[in-house]
Amino acid sequence: MAQSPPTQLKEKETWRKSTELLPSLTCSSGPLTEELQCSVCLDAFTNPVTIPCGHNFCKSCLNQCWDKSEACYCPLCKEKFSKRPDLKINTALRQVVQLFKEKPGATTSEVVCDICDDRKLKALKSCLVCQSSYCETHLEPHHRVPRLKKHKLVNAVENLEDYICEQHQKTLELFCRDDQTPVCPICTVTDHKNHNTVPLEQESVEKKTQVMKTQADVQQMIQDRMKKIQDIKHSAQLRKQNMEKVKVDSTEFFAALMRSIERCEAELLEKMEEKEAEKREEALVEELRKEIAQLKRRDAELEKLSHTEDHLHFMQNYSSMCRALNTKLLPDIRASTPVSLNTIRAALTQLQQTLDEKLSQTELKRMRLYAVDVTLDPDTAHPNLILSDDGKQVSNGDVKRDVPDTPERFDHCVFVLGKEGFSSGRFYFEVQVNKTGWNVGVARESVVRKGRITLTPQNGYWVIWLRNEDVYKALGNSTIVLSMRTKPQKIGVFVDYEEGLVSFYDVKSRSHIYSFTGQTFNGKLHPYLCPLRNNEGKNSASLIISPVDCNE
C-alpha cells in the first residue's frame, strides 16, 4: 500500500536529520553547535523567535508549550510573562542556522529519479505533493492522470522537504512579508493570521526586479571607478610631463649661469692686466678668484637644492643659501679705466638677485603643479561680505546683510573661508589682490569664528597682509615686516601638509615672499581671505580667486 505524502515526508525528514544534522550537532562541528539548538526539541532552530528574557526557541515549539500551559513562561529560565509576547521570527538567527546546516565543501549532486529500480536516471521534475522526483518516463502519469495534473511540479531538487511546511505538511506557496518567511495556506489562518501574505511567485518576481536594479547600480559603480582609475593615470602622466619640463628648464638655467660666471671671470682678468692699475689689480684678482670659488660652491649647492623634493629642507635652507653674498662681487667690466670696488659690488649684487629670482621661478613652477579649484563658502562669510555667484570673488559692502548667525559664520571679523578643506598632501591657489589692504592665507577648520580674533599660527591662522598700501607683514607668533621689490598683484599660496609648510609667492615677479616652516597641522586647512573695510571706496575692489595656468 502506497504511503501518504505526510508519511513520506516524515520518513525523509527523519532520515535527513539522522544523516546530516545530528552528526554535525553531536560531533566537534564548532562552538556554535549548542547555541543553535532549540532547548525544547533539541534540534536546530526552525523559524527561531526571541522572547523578552533573551532566550531563543523554535516558534512552533514555544507556541505548543504555551498552548498546553495556563501561564506563559520561558521553558529554559522559567521567567513568567504577564502577557503572552507577540512572537516575531529572528531572521538574522534563521540565516545563521541555515548557513550552519550547509556542509562545508559540499558539491552539488545530480538529482535522480526516486522510482527507477536499477539504474537511476536523472530526474526531470520534483512533485511537491508526492514528495518525489521523477525522470521523464516516470513523470508521464503527472501529465496524463487528472488527479496528478493538479500536483505542483518544480525543477528537480534534492531538498524537497524544504518546500513543505514542517508544522502543517502543506506546500509553502505563500510568503509572509511581516516575518519575511515562506508559509503554507494553513499558516495564514494560524501563526500568520492577519499578516501581509502574497503568493511566493509574486514575491520572487518583485525581489528579482530589485536584484536586477541593484546589479545595474553595481555595474555602474564599477564603470565609474574604472573611469576614475583612467583619470588618475592621465593626471599622473601630465604631472610627470610637467616635472620633466621643469627639470629641463632648471638644467638649462644653471648651465647658462655657469657660463655667465666663467665669462665674467675672463673679462675681469683681461681688464686687470691694464698697466696703470697693475699693483692694485693683482691684489683684487686674488680676492676675486676666491669669491669666484665661493660662487661656484654656492652654485653647486643651489643646483642640489633646486632639485630636492624635500620642501621642508628647501625652505629651511633657502634663506641662508640665497642671502646676499658678503663679497665684493664681480662687475661686467668692459671699460679701459680702473674699476671701482663699488661697481664690482653692484654688478654681482645684481647677479645674486637674478639667481634668487630664477630659484623662486623654478620652485613656483613646481608648486603650481598642485593647484586646486577653490570656491568661497557663503556659510562662513561675515554678514558685511558680498560673494559672487560663482564663489570666486569677495568684497566688503560695509552693510550688514540679513543672514543666519550660524556657528560657522564669522560675526566680528570680516573673514571668509574656502569650501574646500585639505587634511593631507599639497595644494596651491592664487588670489588677485589689487587693493590697498587685504589678508590672504589658510586657516584651520576648527578656528574660533565669534568675537575678536588674533591671527597667529597658534590660533590656527597662517596669514600675510597689506596695510596702508605699502606695509606688508607676516603674522607669525611675532609680526614680521616684509620687504617687497614690487607691489604684488597676485599672491600664490602653497601648503605641504605633511612637511608643515605654508609659502607665499608674488606670482607676477615669480618671487618668494615668506614661508611658515616646521608647523604642525591638525584637521582640515581651508583657504582664508579678508578684503578689509571698503574705506569710502578706496579699498572697494574684490579679492579674486584666479585660475592657475601651469604653463604661464
Side-chain angles (χ1 to χ4, degrees), residues 372-377 380 410 416-422 427-429 431 440-444 493 495 524-529 545:
V372 295
D373 185 18
V374 174
T375 53
L376 300 174
D377 187 355
T380 67
F410 293 96
V416 62
L417 300 182
K419 284 184 179 180
E420 295 74 21
F422 305 88
F427 65 93
Y428 174 87
F429 62 95
V431 184
V440 171
V442 295
R444 199 163 45 226
V493 184
V495 176
K524 290 184 177 181
L525 295 180
H526 291 257
Y528 155 89
L529 301 181
I545 298 173

Side-chain angles (χ1 to χ4, degrees), residues 344-490:
I344 296 174
R345 287 196 180 101
L348 279 177
T349 297
Q350 184 177 2
L351 179 62
Q352 179 63 38
Q353 290 175 352
T354 301
L355 177 62
D356 291 347
E357 291 173 0
K358 291 296 183 181
L359 283 172
S360 295
Q361 291 174 17
T362 300
E363 188 60 22
L364 182 58
K365 281 185 178 180
R366 292 186 179 186
M367 292 181 177
R368 296 181 95 186
L369 295 177
Y370 299 99
V372 295
D373 185 18
V374 174
T375 53
L376 300 174
D377 187 355
D379 292 337
T380 67
H382 183 277
N384 285 12
L385 296 182
I386 301 173
L387 273 62
S388 61
D389 293 339
D390 62 0
K392 299 293 185 180
Q393 303 183 31
V394 58
S395 61
N396 192 340
D398 282 348
V399 176
K400 190 172 184 178
R401 298 176 297 116
D402 185 16
V403 293
D405 184 16
T406 60
E408 295 80 13
R409 191 179 305 281
F410 293 96
D411 66 348
H412 183 79
C413 298
V414 286
F415 297 167
V416 62
L417 300 182
K419 284 184 179 180
E420 295 74 21
F422 305 88
S423 57
S424 64
R426 303 163 183 167
F427 65 93
Y428 174 87
F429 62 95
E430 294 178 352
V431 184
Q432 290 185 19
V433 290
N434 298 321
K435 295 169 61 65
T436 60
W438 45 261
N439 299 356
V440 171
V442 295
R444 199 163 45 226
E445 187 175 65
S446 60
V447 293
V448 174
R449 313 285 177 100
K450 307 300 182 182
R452 293 185 178 274
I453 297 171
T454 302
L455 299 176
T456 63
Q458 185 176 359
N459 291 338
Y461 293 88
W462 291 265
V463 176
I464 63 172
W465 75 16
L466 167 65
R467 296 291 187 273
N468 301 324
E469 298 190 33
D470 61 357
V471 179
Y472 296 90
K473 293 182 179 181
L475 307 182
N477 294 327
S478 59
T479 302
I480 301 169
V481 178
L482 303 175
S483 177
M484 299 290 190
R485 298 177 188 173
T486 60
K487 183 175 181 178
Q489 302 299 310
K490 187 184 294 185

Side-chain angles (χ1 to χ4, degrees), residues 495-544:
V495 176
D496 189 327
Y497 196 98
E498 282 72 24
E499 295 293 345
L501 172 68
V502 182
S503 293
F504 298 87
Y505 286 83
D506 180 347
V507 176
K508 184 176 181 181
S509 66
R510 298 177 179 242
S511 59
H512 174 257
I513 299 175
Y514 183 77
S515 290
F516 294 91
T517 60
Q519 305 297 304
T520 300
F521 303 132
N522 294 315
K524 290 184 177 181
L525 295 180
H526 291 257
Y528 155 89
L529 301 181
C530 172
L532 296 186
R533 294 182 180 275
N534 193 312
N535 196 16
E536 298 180 351
K538 296 179 181 179
N539 192 40
S540 60
S542 299
L543 290 176
I544 304 174

